[in-house]
Amino acid sequence: MTMHLTEASAPVPAALVEDPLWWRSAVIYQVYVRSFADSDGDGTGDLRGVRSRLGYLKELGVDALWFNPWYPSPLADGGYDVSDYRDIHPTFGTLDDAEQLIAEALELGIRTIIDVVPNHVSSEHPWFQAALAAGPGSAERERFWFHPGKGPNGDLMPTNWVSNFQGDTWTRTTNPDGTPGEWYLHLFTPEQPDLNWNHPDVRREHEEILRFWFDRGVAGVRIDSAGLLIKDPALPEVPVDVAPGGHPTEDRDEVHEVYRAWRRIADSYEGSRVLVGEVWVPDAARFAAYLRPDEMHTAFNFDFMSRSWDAAELRDSIDLMLTAHAPVGAPSTWVLSNHDVTRPVTRYGREDSSFAFAKKRFDTPSDLDRGIRRARAAALLTAALPGSLYLYQGDELGLPEAELPRDVLEDPMHFRSGGIDPGRDGCRVPLPWRGTEAPFGFSPPEPGLNGTVDAPWLPQPAEWAKLTVQAQEADPASMLWLYRQALRLRKREAALGDGALTWLETEPGVLAFHRGERFVSVTNLGDRSVALPEHESILLASAPLDGGLLPPDSTAWLHRSA
Ligand code: GLC
Ligand code: MG
C-alpha cells in the first residue's frame, strides 16, 4: 500500500473517524452550490451561503453533503468543465472558505463529499491549452485524444460516435499557422475535452487530486461519469449489438483498475473515505462490478428513479437492485433526483411518470397535486429501503421543475438538442428561503460588495412564495416537516439504513415490507384506499389516513408488535 505524508500532519478530526460504516446507511444531501444560498448578493450561491445555512441542514437531519463541482470553471457545463482541481471558483469563494466549511460541517457531525470529474477537463485547463499550443505529434497532446481526420483532407471526424449531449464528439483544431488541424475527442461539449487515461500523467494527477482533498478532511468523492474513462484506442464505431464491455467508450473492463488504485488511496487515510460512482450502466451485474470490495463503496442507483409510479415496476426495481448488490456486499443507494433529472414532484404528476433523458420535452403537462402526493410517498418509501439515501436540495421543499423562459436557459443539453430538450436548468433554480417575492431570501436584502443585489442567476417562479423554508416551517403538513420527521425516525429506528428487507404479502398495487422485527413500511400505489397491515402504532404517514385506511399515493410507517 502506498502511504503518503499528510501536509503538516494535521490531526484528523474525531468526527471523521467515528462510525467507519457511516456510508452504508447515510443520508446524503446534494448541494448545488450555485443555487443553494448567496451570501454576497451577486445572484449566485456561494460557500459562505452554505456555511450560514449549516444549521438548517443539521435540523433536517442529514449525515453528509455532496457538493457539485466547486472548482474554477468557465461553467460551460455548470462546473463539470474544471480548469483547476485544487481551488474554488472565485464566485463561490476561496479554498479557505472550503476548508472552514468542511470543518464547521464536521463539528455538526456532517461529512463532506466532493465531486471529481476525471473523464474530461475544461478546454481552459492548462493541459489542454498547452496541447493546443504544442501542436500535432507533441507530448502535450498525448494526454488527450487528438487524432487526424479521415478523408483526403482530414475533414471527416475520426469516428461517428454520438455525444452524451447529442451531436458530434470530435472538434477540429486549427494549427498555429492557420491551417485546419487535428480533431480532439469530447464525449460531452467541445469545452470538455476527454483525457487519455492510458497516460501516466493523467492517472498520477488524479491520484494527487484525491490526496489534496482527503488531506483537507473530505470524507468522500463522487466520481463523475465514472464508466467512461477508458476508450478503445483503435477507435472503432459503436457496434450494432454491443457485447458486455465491447463499447468503445463505455464501461470497458480496464476502467476497474483506475478505481482499485483510488480505493488504495482512500483506504490509506484514517476514517472511512468513500468513493461514490456515477455509473450509468444498464446491466445490473456489470454495474455491481464497480462495487467489488476493492473498488468503489457505493454508486448511484438510477434504476429506481427512471421507473414509473407503479407498484410492480418499483418492486421489480427494488428487487433488481438488492439482488445485484448482494454478491459484492455493497449497500444500495436510493436516489429520487439530482441536478440532471426532472424534479420528482413534476415527474410523478405526469401521465408517463418514468424518466429518460431522451423523452424530455417542453410543456409536458403535470398534475402537481398528484405529483406532490406521490413524491411524499416516495420520500418515505425510499427512506425505508436498505442502504443510503440521497436527497437533492429543494426536494425537501417539494419544489417542482421550474418552467423557465427559453431566453434564460444555459444548459448545453438544451442547445445541443436543437432546442427540443428543455435541458436541466429547471431543476437548478435557486432555493426559496423566506419572504413573499424573489429572491425569497436566496440573496441578502442589502446590496452586496458591488453595491447592488443582482437577481438570482436563474429566475424563481412567483408561486414559490408558498414553498419557502419559512412558509413550510410554519406548516406541519409541509414537505419539509415530512422530511425532518422521516430522517429523525430513520436515525432512531435501528432497523433502517443498512440491512435486510422482507416483503409482506399484500394486494396488488401495494408495496409493504418489514425491516427488523417491528418496523413496517407500506405504500399504496393503487387507486383506492387500503387497510393497513396489522400494527401496534403508526409512526408517520405521508398523507392523512382515510378513516383508518391508507389513501392512494401514500406511505405509512408502522410498528407491529414484536
Ligand atoms: C455527469 C453530471 C452532469 C454533467 C456530466 C458531464 O453526468 O452529473 O451534470 O453534465 O456528467 O460531466
Ligand atoms: Mg454569491
Side-chain angles (χ1 to χ4, degrees), residues 11-245:
V12 177
L16 198 51
V17 271
E18 62 199 27
D19 190 12
L21 297 180
W22 67 275
W23 49 276
R24 298 187 66 95
S25 302
V27 177
I28 299 156
Y29 184 92
Q30 180 188 351
V31 181
Y32 198 75
V33 179
R34 217 176 163 187
S35 299
F36 186 75
D38 167 27
S39 72
D40 57 5
D42 64 356
T44 296
D46 44 58
L47 299 189
R48 283 167 185 254
V50 181
R51 284 171 61 196
S52 73
R53 301 293 207 285
L54 285 174
Y56 169 79
L57 296 167
K58 176 73 185 166
E59 176 71 16
L60 183 56
V62 303
D63 304 303
L65 306 176
W66 151 35
F67 292 92
N68 286 101
W70 57 12
Y71 315 103
S73 162
L75 303 180
D77 179 21
Y80 285 93
D81 48 322
V82 181
S83 46
D84 180 355
Y85 290 77
R86 294 178 180 79
D87 206 348
I88 297 295
H89 195 294
T91 311
F92 298 160
T94 63
L95 195 52
D96 195 49
D97 291 329
E99 289 179 2
Q100 294 205 41
L101 170 54
I102 294 166
E104 287 168 10
L106 214 46
E107 276 165 29
L108 299 175
I110 300 174
R111 289 171 162 90
T112 294
I113 295 175
I114 58 158
D115 214 313
V116 294
V117 187
N119 181 67
H120 42 266
V121 297
S122 163
S123 52
E124 300 292 315
H125 189 284
W127 278 9
F128 191 71
Q129 289 297 315
L132 286 180
S138 61
E140 287 83 349
R141 288 203 173 182
E142 286 170 15
R143 294 172 177 147
F144 298 90
W145 291 94
F146 281 90
H147 215 269
K150 286 185 174 163
N153 303 317
D155 49 12
L156 301 176
M157 291 180 295
T159 70
N160 294 312
W161 299 342
V162 179
S163 164
N164 289 303
F165 286 171
Q166 304 189 48
D168 299 338
T169 53
W170 296 91
T171 292
R172 197 164 193 186
T173 60
T174 305
N175 290 323
D177 66 1
T179 56
E182 291 182 320
W183 299 72
Y184 69 89
L185 176 68
H186 50 85
L187 295 184
F188 296 91
T189 71
E191 290 80 20
Q192 295 164 292
D194 279 50
L195 288 167
N196 174 7
W197 273 84
N198 298 325
H199 197 296
D201 285 0
V202 171
R203 297 199 181 216
R204 192 178 325 114
E205 170 69 0
H206 279 85
E207 293 175 6
E208 283 171 14
I209 292 165
L210 291 183
R211 293 198 172 100
F212 179 89
W213 289 103
F214 286 148
D215 287 341
R216 279 162 183 76
V218 313
V221 294
R222 179 261 187 194
I223 308 165
D224 185 65
S225 302
L228 305 182
L229 273 48
I230 307 292
K231 281 83 184 177
D232 183 343
L235 305 184
E237 291 301 339
V238 179
V240 182
D241 287 312
V242 185

